[in-house]
Amino acid sequence: MAQRNWQRTGTSYRVEWGGRPWELRVDGTSPGLRPCGAGSGGEFLCLRGIAATGRRGLGALGEASLLGSEQFRSRVEATYAPAGWGDLRVRACWCPSEDDAGMDLEVQVLASSVGDLKSLEVYEETVTDLDPSAAIRSALAWVIEARDRRSAGLSYDGREDDELLAAATTLPVPAPGVPISRPRVVSGPDPISGRSYLEFVHPDDVSRRIVETSQAGQEAGPVGRLRHALLGHDLEKGVVIRGRLRGLWMAADVVEQQLGESYSRFLDAPLPLGI
């Protein structure tokens, strides 16, 4: 199974990525990539749900809302229509990046309603530890980074549950021109590939980044769970909004030397016209 060549079975797609096989189920409860094989864990570049002012729909993008999926060469596209969200359409595309070590997730949203969806976010989530012990879980905290003052307020407009907010620290809003989207090392070296996993997101495409850490206020180092709240804009009738991320496997001993160049290539890559 060669890199960039998906193998389809119904709503399941398999691909080689970062030196190992992965499965993408577009009709899962959190559509995204999971490593194949016994003993493999983690969920990568998953659609965790959607949120808007006063409401959230974790799990709203999945089997119940799937309209269909298609494969176009190296791209797998899936379209979702979550019930009760103003005729919202969410199209997601997973595609290996040109450097063969990355996987791009591209998201497009469109609605035919008028003024119903305020500050709409699409949640992308990567989880590297699916079953931490109860002792570890009780010590975990959340760190929330916001794009700007308006985005910082979204955590408190009714879309997040009280449990998360009770364990959360919201960092200061960055200075003008300083993005919150700097590349993040999500996990240390994988035991199979020996590579670290990183995620990039375009500065204009993310309203908030929510990081699960073992210590409130921690900003660096590998994490167990990383959530990007994409977009964060009011969605008007007929207006298409797009965003994208890249998950990247990189040899752990070269992350510091190659991270900047890899991030620049991601930022310079044009958004595909076909999404």
Side-chain angles (χ1 to χ4, degrees):
M1 183 166 50
Q3 174 80 24
R4 304 184 62 79
N5 294 327
W6 298 88
Q7 293 182 348
R8 178 175 183 174
T9 303
T11 55
S12 174
Y13 301 81
R14 291 199 174 195
V15 70
E16 192 80 16
W17 173 39
R20 62 190 300 187
W22 296 77
E23 181 182 31
L24 166 64
R25 291 197 63 89
V26 297
D27 62 348
T29 55
S30 295
L33 288 144
R34 292 159 177 83
C36 300
S40 298
E43 302 174 340
F44 295 74
L45 296 174
C46 292
L47 300 177
R48 186 70 177 90
I50 50 181
T53 298
R55 62 188 303 202
R56 67 182 183 279
L58 299 183
L61 306 177
E63 181 178 12
S65 60
L66 179 66
L67 293 182
S69 65
E70 297 180 271
Q71 179 180 347
F72 299 98
R73 298 181 181 176
S74 62
R75 300 165 59 85
V76 172
E77 294 184 4
T79 303
Y80 302 90
W85 284 82
D87 202 23
L88 176 69
R89 295 293 184 271
V90 179
R91 182 183 297 174
C93 169
W94 292 264
C95 177
S97 60
E98 292 297 332
D99 62 9
D100 282 350
M103 180 73 67
D104 290 350
L105 170 60
E106 302 160 359
V107 175
Q108 171 182 296
V109 297
L110 171 68
S112 60
S113 59
V114 179
D116 289 342
L117 300 174
K118 300 297 185 181
S119 301
L120 179 76
E121 293 178 326
V122 177
Y123 288 160
E124 174 271 347
E125 191 168 271
T126 286
V127 184
T128 60
D129 186 358
L130 295 178
D131 189 26
S133 70
I136 294 175
R137 175 60 61 189
S138 64
L140 293 176
W142 296 90
V143 172
I144 302 176
E145 302 170 81
R147 176 173 55 201
D148 49 31
R149 182 189 308 177
R150 179 178 179 275
S151 296
L154 301 186
S155 299
Y156 305 95
D157 73 351
R159 71 186 62 207
E160 302 295 356
D161 59 41
D162 292 340
E163 181 180 357
L164 184 148
L165 294 179
T169 297
T170 300
L171 298 184
V173 174
V178 178
I180 66 169
S181 61
R182 61 190 183 282
R184 186 67 191 249
V185 177
V186 184
S187 72
D190 178 81
I192 296 178
S193 68
R195 301 179 182 181
S196 293
Y197 177 74
L198 305 88
E199 279 193 6
F200 306 157
V201 62
H202 270 262
D204 295 335
D205 295 346
V206 59
S207 59
R208 297 178 300 138
R209 180 160 61 184
I210 306 175
V211 183
E212 186 183 68
T213 74
S214 59
Q215 180 179 355
Q218 178 180 332
E219 296 184 61
V223 299
R225 186 185 303 260
L226 177 66
R227 179 181 297 175
H228 287 102
L230 299 173
L231 310 178
H233 304 295
D234 295 347
L235 193 57
E236 301 298 338
K237 181 177 181 180
V239 177
V240 175
I241 305 178
R242 298 168 175 168
R244 59 178 160 162
L245 307 99
R246 175 169 296 173
L248 179 66
W249 291 99
M250 183 179 294
D253 58 351
V254 299
V255 169
E256 291 187 7
Q257 298 93 321
Q258 298 185 9
L259 180 58
E261 181 180 350
S262 296
Y263 186 46
S264 294
R265 285 200 300 269
F266 167 71
L267 294 178
D268 292 341
L271 187 68
L273 297 178
I275 184 174

